Amino acid sequence: MKKSLTAIAAAALFATAAVGTAQAEDVLIGSCIYKFDDTFMTGVRNNMQKAAEAVGAEIELVDSQNRQPMQNDQVDTFITKGVNALIINPVDRSAAGPLADKAKAADVAIVYINREPDAKVLKGYDKAFYVGARAEESGTIGGQLIAEYFKGHPEADKNKDGKLQYILIKGEQGHQDATLRSEYCVKAMKDAGLDIVEIGSDNANWDKVQGHDKMKNFITSLGVESIEAVLCNNDDMALGVVEALKSEGYNLGTDGKDPSKFIPVVGVDATAPALQAISKGQLLGTSLNDAVNQGTAAVRIANQVAQGKPVDEASIGYTVTDGKYVWIPYVRVTAENYKDFQ
Ligand code: GAL
Ligand code: CA
């Protein structure tokens, strides 16, 4: 029996729909990073490259230079070029929606990383995913580290008022990691039973120089002697804070230096310089923001969807929550275990 015209048209349509998928050896992933000049995201980027090699996919990474309009254009270019999947680290996470629309129109997967889009964005497209870490965990770890230190070191209560006077150095405004880490580090200190007083708080946009400068301002206005702890939303800012303290003769390290001249500072990420500062006794601790597993999970998802294959624990090696999310846990890092992460 001859095929009807509609059946032929349907077959043709099916063939077009299948264009959205690629053979394993042909997968091309286009990835935009909010800015290359970011320590933690550089780690994620390098690990995505390794992960792509491991699965036999090609990945092209571009620098969005902290500009959302530039990122939007980069996504258009990737789609025109015919990428099979996108991995996007949004500059502005409220811009994730329009990017999902572009991906959906072209029938390519979109995996967001590090900056979490609104749940609606993921729900609106079956090929949209998010890989990240629960910022609450790293906030809690930071608060607990400070609480334990304060309880174990009576001299840390410099003004002997029974309260902890602390400074909070936050990341970028509007970033879920800045909001939640700040909230949960404070909560953890309270939950540990500390009587806490916030004597200063400011945003330093994940940046070491800004962290240093904001800390200098606090030292000038409050006096270094009145500061009993500094909680930072990431390591780069914490290392900037440590630099500012060092120029006051504090946190010079345990190597023959006066141990009483130490103000506990915590960060998040466990970058190489942070691990080194922990080893020297200049930084109290941090939490591992796992660039290896975040990068690997994102690439594996992109590679699966690009080939029209399922995304689940069996296929990617990570638990997939609600069919949409991969959450990589944070790990507490101190002088006791920093070597495990070097
Ligand atoms: C955070 C990380 C920061 C910075 C930021 C960029 O998760 O802790 O250091 O990389 O992401 O969005
Ligand atoms: Ca005090």
Side-chain angles (χ1 to χ4, degrees):
M1 204 167 76
K2 273 189 181 171
K3 275 186 187 171
S4 72
L5 268 181
T6 34
I8 293 167
L13 217 136
F14 181 74
T16 343
V19 168
T21 64
Q23 297 299 309
E25 64 277 12
D26 297 330
V27 173
L28 174 61
I29 302 167
S31 179
C32 302
I33 302 299
Y34 95 99
K35 64 172 186 178
F36 275 12
D37 182 22
D38 175 291
T39 311
F40 169 69
M41 285 313 303
T42 299
V44 174
R45 178 155 59 93
N46 294 337
N47 284 294
M48 289 204 298
Q49 210 127 30
K50 284 187 198 156
E53 261 167 54
V55 298
E58 200 182 320
I59 188 165
E60 214 175 287
L61 286 141
V62 294
D63 182 356
S64 301
Q65 295 178 21
N66 214 12
R67 283 183 266 172
Q68 191 58 51
M70 174 180 253
Q71 182 167 80
N72 299 347
D73 291 346
Q74 290 169 333
V75 167
D76 288 337
T77 306
F78 275 143
I79 289 175
T80 309
K81 207 172 166 176
V83 297
N84 312 108
L86 294 159
I87 298 180
I88 305 296
N89 173 210
V91 175
D92 169 1
R93 65 200 183 102
S94 66
L99 295 185
D101 295 340
K102 289 177 194 279
K104 192 174 180 178
D107 191 29
V108 299
I110 184 160
V111 184
Y112 296 96
I113 53 169
N114 171 261
R115 292 165 173 223
E116 188 183 344
D118 198 284
K120 271 186 253 151
V121 173
L122 300 184
K123 277 200 198 108
Y125 181 33
D126 60 340
K127 293 185 179 177
F129 299 85
Y130 178 68
V131 175
R134 294 196 192 272
E136 298 88 330
E137 290 172 16
S138 48
T140 303
I141 291 170
Q144 287 173 344
L145 288 171
I146 293 293
E148 284 167 28
Y149 183 86
F150 199 66
K151 288 179 180 174
H153 295 80
E155 75 282 6
D157 182 12
K158 292 174 170 176
N159 63 354
K160 305 275 168 244
D161 67 349
K163 298 177 187 175
L164 171 72
Q165 277 77 19
Y166 71 92
I167 286 176
L168 182 60
I169 304 286
K170 299 180 287 191
E172 209 176 321
Q173 231 158 19
H175 194 307
Q176 83 280 344
D177 289 347
T179 314
L180 293 168
R181 287 175 191 166
S182 299
E183 184 185 334
Y184 278 78
C185 70
V186 170
K187 182 177 182 300
M189 291 191 289
K190 284 188 188 152
D191 288 351
L194 293 195
D195 195 350
I196 54 173
V197 186
E198 188 170 286
I199 54 172
S201 156
D202 209 341
N203 290 88
N205 301 310
W206 313 120
D207 185 77
K208 183 174 176 184
V209 173
Q210 289 185 44
H212 170 270
D213 295 351
K214 297 284 161 94
M215 189 62 193
K216 276 265 179 210
N217 293 343
F218 285 127
I219 290 171
T220 306
S221 61
L222 303 165
V224 72
E225 267 305 316
S226 64
I227 303 166
E228 296 178 342
V230 189
L231 296 103
C232 306
N233 283 170
N234 83 341
D235 284 346
D236 273 1
M237 299 188 297
L239 292 169
V241 165
V242 167
E243 285 311 310
L245 290 174
K246 277 160 90 177
S247 52
E248 303 295 318
Y250 279 81
N251 294 44
L252 291 166
T254 38
D255 186 17
K257 308 292 187 322
D258 181 356
S260 70
K261 290 242 168 188
F262 177 75
I263 294 172
V265 180
V266 291
V268 175
D269 286 338
T271 62
L275 297 177
Q276 207 187 2
I278 292 173
S279 79
K280 289 188 189 156
Q282 296 168 341
L283 181 70
L284 179 66
T286 185
S287 22
L288 172 73
N289 195 3
D290 191 338
V292 177
N293 283 307
Q294 289 178 37
T296 306
V299 166
R300 288 189 188 165
I301 295 173
N303 186 52
Q304 282 292 111
V305 186
Q307 297 173 63
K309 293 182 181 167
V311 174
D312 51 32
E313 185 157 3
S315 63
I316 64 161
Y318 297 93
T319 306
V320 183
T321 308
D322 298 335
K324 290 283 176 192
Y325 295 88
V326 170
W327 297 110
I328 305 294
Y330 285 99
V331 186
R332 167 191 164 112
V333 183
T334 64
E336 268 140 49
N337 66 344
Y338 75 89
K339 286 195 180 115
D340 300 346
F341 305 93
Q342 276 179 326

